[in-house]
Amino acid sequence: MATSLATCSPSPPLLRRPMSLLPRFRRSCLPSLGRARRALTAVVAAAVRQDAATWTQAPLSLVAPADADASLFHVAVDVSDAPDLAASFTAPGQYLQLRVPEAEKPAFLAIASPPSFAASRGEFQFLVKRFPGSTVDLLCGLGRGDVVELSVVMGKGFPVDRISPPDSFPTVLIFATGSGISPIRSLIESGFGAAERQDVRLYYGARNLQRMAYQERFKDWESTGVKIIPVLSQPDERWSGERGYVQAAFSRAKDILNPSSIGAVLCGHKQMAEEVTSQLVADGVSKETILMNF
């Protein structure tokens, strides 16, 4: 009987009050479904605006093989309709990301042309190495007029001020392998006082002459005061120049007399960069004057 009374009798007023507060709590403290949707829409819109601000659409103006076996490609992008992006490229060695339709991720590419090209021609030029299945592979399959997307220009470039003025660093040794020659081209064609220095050498490594880009530019580069030393790892029997790897060719030829007056610039394979850096430091060259673009 006691059980029946306890079950059927109305609850005391004090037991009803906490339950009656819940609806008011929900209305006052939790966002409504409509507000949640509006908040989500705002977040998505902000992300879209941020993405639009980060990426710039631009048409390709050139896609063409850069060597005999089409392992390297010249790529140029017309940025004449993106003057702010063009103006943000200020130093050789800077790079950006490029993405193409259907690519899972963008490619990081060093800009090969000098900053003056962006200002005068409204164009970024690149030298890229084609890998099957990569973003660059998809890029090399596109043609003039196809649209790609470019990120903002990144990095500070080669800190050339560390090897300036030229009379304090009369010797500059430049090392590049494969597509690592790309930002080196930008450096040489931008000018870094090569003609005012006593000894500027470019050790440029490739498998063979068929895979060595920019050979048509060598004469112009040498006219600015840069001595070019091609180094081939797998040359044919007619090759009479340097053989093997860049670091070995440098080791055979180095004649460092005053290490405090030497600057160096490196871009290319990691092993090459590490071994050349070790050789230079062992000979007394300061790490501060061994420049890289990252």
Side-chain angles (χ1 to χ4, degrees):
M1 189 69 177
T3 302
S4 175
L5 287 173
T7 304
C8 300
S9 299
S11 302
L14 287 175
L15 295 177
R16 289 200 301 268
R17 287 176 185 166
M19 297 299 293
S20 66
L21 291 173
L22 185 57
R24 290 200 299 273
F25 172 78
R26 285 175 175 164
R27 286 194 298 271
S28 62
C29 298
L30 297 177
S32 66
L33 181 60
R35 276 184 290 171
R37 285 176 176 169
R38 288 195 295 273
L40 179 60
T41 300
V43 169
V44 172
V48 170
R49 287 195 299 272
Q50 182 179 11
D51 189 67
T54 303
W55 294 92
T56 300
Q57 291 189 337
L60 294 168
S61 52
L62 174 71
V63 180
D67 60 5
D69 64 358
S71 63
L72 297 172
F73 271 71
H74 294 301
V75 174
V77 183
D78 182 352
V79 292
S80 58
D81 289 336
D84 290 344
L85 178 62
S88 68
F89 176 36
T90 59
Q94 288 182 298
Y95 55 92
L96 50 69
Q97 295 181 77
L98 182 150
R99 63 186 185 186
V100 301
E102 300 183 8
E104 292 184 2
K105 56 184 179 181
F108 282 86
L109 303 178
I111 303 173
S113 48
S116 59
F117 270 44
S120 63
R121 303 188 187 185
E123 187 174 76
F124 287 161
Q125 296 180 352
F126 307 91
L127 178 72
V128 300
K129 186 171 183 178
R130 189 172 195 171
F131 290 101
S134 67
T135 299
V136 170
D137 189 27
L138 294 174
L139 172 63
C140 294
L142 300 178
R144 180 183 176 90
D146 288 333
V147 174
V148 297
E149 292 182 310
L150 304 178
S151 75
V152 296
V153 175
M154 302 176 180
K156 297 180 180 180
F158 295 113
V160 180
D161 58 302
R162 295 184 191 171
I163 56 172
S164 298
D167 58 358
S168 296
F169 296 91
T171 298
V172 175
L173 307 171
I174 307 172
F175 303 87
T177 54
S179 59
I181 193 66
S182 180
I184 298 300
R185 173 201 157 191
S186 182
L187 175 69
I188 293 173
E189 296 183 4
S190 294
F192 62 102
E196 302 169 45
R197 304 178 195 262
Q198 296 175 6
D199 180 13
V200 179
R201 280 173 268 163
L202 166 60
Y203 290 89
Y204 178 13
R207 179 177 296 180
N208 50 50
L209 286 177
Q210 289 69 42
R211 290 197 175 188
M212 180 166 279
Y214 294 144
Q215 293 180 54
E216 74 281 0
R217 295 181 177 272
F218 287 180
K219 186 176 181 179
D220 289 339
W221 292 356
E222 291 190 323
S223 71
T224 68
V226 179
K227 179 182 179 181
I228 300 172
I229 304 171
V231 184
L232 305 183
S233 61
Q234 297 180 23
D236 62 29
E237 65 280 357
R238 295 171 295 176
W239 177 248
S240 60
E242 290 288 344
R243 294 170 176 260
Y245 295 104
V246 161
Q247 53 270 41
F250 170 62
S251 182
R252 290 191 294 268
K254 67 179 179 180
D255 50 353
I256 296 177
L257 301 178
N258 184 6
S260 64
S261 68
I262 292 177
V265 184
L266 288 73
C267 192
H269 297 151
K270 180 180 179 181
Q271 182 179 353
M272 178 276 289
E274 290 176 346
E275 292 185 12
V276 169
T277 298
S278 295
Q279 289 183 40
L280 291 170
V281 171
D283 286 332
V285 178
S286 169
K287 282 189 175 182
E288 287 296 307
T289 61
I290 301 174
L291 313 184
M292 290 184 280
N293 65 326
F294 57 87

